[in-house]
Amino acid sequence: MKTKSKGKLFVMSGPSGTGKGTICERLKELDNIYLSVSNTTRDRRANEIEGETYFYVTRDEFERMIRENEMLEYAEYSGNYYGTNKKRVEEALNEGKDVILEIEPQGALQVKSIFPSAVLIFVLPPSFEELRNRLVTRGREPIDVIEKRIAAAEWEIQQSDKYDYKTINDNLDECVNEVAGIINKERERI
Ligand code: 5GP
């Protein structure tokens, strides 16, 4: 009997405001994909859904999960913890699903060291100016938070050289097609 092969792990990063969340939502339309839901200590935004956007936990609970080795990876970003639950990802991979993690570069590089076969994809904004415009016009965060995110973006973009693929989100449909193409190409590799 042929045993079901394990799924592949894909990691998507990119500075806040590059549109990687929207890209990942669109990638859910591909067959056999599990988009991982992270844990975070940041506050839930009005349009977000517990268990779909994130699992919202306290710092105490997050630190307990770190201590008890429940995290595949985690990082602090803009004063909050974000992390991926190990068990949920392993279960999806064992079921043969391809898993997408939408996480920042500290976590992405932790994942690459644990799973060297993970495919790392970095989404770049067309320019720094455009990134600032997108963050300001979407109006999700107050200006001090936006400034923190822009400061983080500089370091994040420097990390993009460590990724397997880079793509520029200038046109959403084209970018989604490009990333879907990367996923399909990687799926065909043994
Ligand atoms: P946001 O607050 O905008 O939802 O996310 C802030 C940043 O945290 C984004 O770059 C997002 O990709 C990243 N992030 C979300 N979940 C995780 C996670 O589980 N681990 C890590 N390392 N980063 C995450």
Side-chain angles (χ1 to χ4, degrees):
M1 197 175 80
K2 193 170 178 276
T3 50
K4 208 170 172 188
S5 59
K6 268 188 135 193
K8 275 200 172 250
L9 190 52
F10 294 90
V11 178
M12 297 276 295
S13 301
S16 184
T18 38
K20 62 185 183 311
T22 314
I23 297 168
C24 287
E25 275 304 311
R26 295 268 299 269
L27 292 171
K28 280 208 288 199
E29 290 163 22
L30 295 175
D31 262 5
N32 208 38
I33 286 277
Y34 170 70
L35 180 59
S36 163
V37 179
S38 296
N39 301 289
T40 183
T41 60
R42 85 149 162 71
D43 291 338
R44 189 174 66 82
R45 298 180 190 132
N47 61 333
E48 294 182 341
I49 302 168
E50 161 78 30
E52 267 185 43
T53 322
Y54 283 108
F55 294 100
Y56 301 90
V57 299
T58 60
R59 280 188 89 83
D60 278 354
E61 172 63 2
F62 200 103
E63 284 167 357
R64 183 202 61 75
M65 291 192 276
I66 298 172
R67 273 198 312 276
E68 297 188 8
N69 203 20
E70 291 178 15
M71 294 294 188
L72 174 62
E73 62 71 38
Y74 70 93
E76 263 200 278
Y77 172 91
S78 241
N80 283 298
Y81 279 128
Y82 293 82
T84 306
N85 182 278
K86 195 191 290 178
K87 192 158 162 258
R88 277 195 293 269
V89 169
E90 284 176 351
E91 278 172 2
L93 290 173
N94 287 336
E95 281 168 18
K97 292 207 173 89
D98 294 322
V99 174
I100 301 180
L101 309 182
E102 192 224 302
I103 62 177
E104 55 69 64
Q106 302 170 70
L109 298 173
Q110 291 172 43
V111 170
K112 188 76 176 178
S113 68
I114 304 166
F115 290 97
S117 62
V119 179
L120 268 50
I121 305 168
F122 198 96
V123 185
L124 289 157
S127 69
F128 236 86
E129 267 318 288
E130 180 59 27
L131 185 69
R132 179 183 291 273
N133 282 343
R134 286 184 191 175
L135 284 171
V136 172
T137 50
R138 78 180 182 184
R140 269 193 216 156
E141 298 93 3
I143 196 72
D144 58 317
V145 176
I146 291 177
E147 289 305 335
K148 270 198 198 166
R149 287 182 174 232
I150 289 170
E154 250 180 272
W155 177 82
E156 289 176 274
I157 290 172
Q158 285 164 12
Q159 307 312 305
S160 67
D161 285 342
K162 299 174 186 157
Y163 280 62
D164 300 301
Y165 295 92
K166 289 192 220 186
T167 169
I168 300 175
N169 184 14
D170 205 354
N171 172 296
L172 181 65
D173 287 336
E174 283 174 17
C175 192
V176 170
N177 283 337
E178 195 183 332
V179 178
I182 294 170
I183 292 177
N184 287 328
K185 187 177 86 182
E186 290 287 341
R187 279 173 157 175
E188 282 163 17
R189 285 205 212 194
I190 301 171

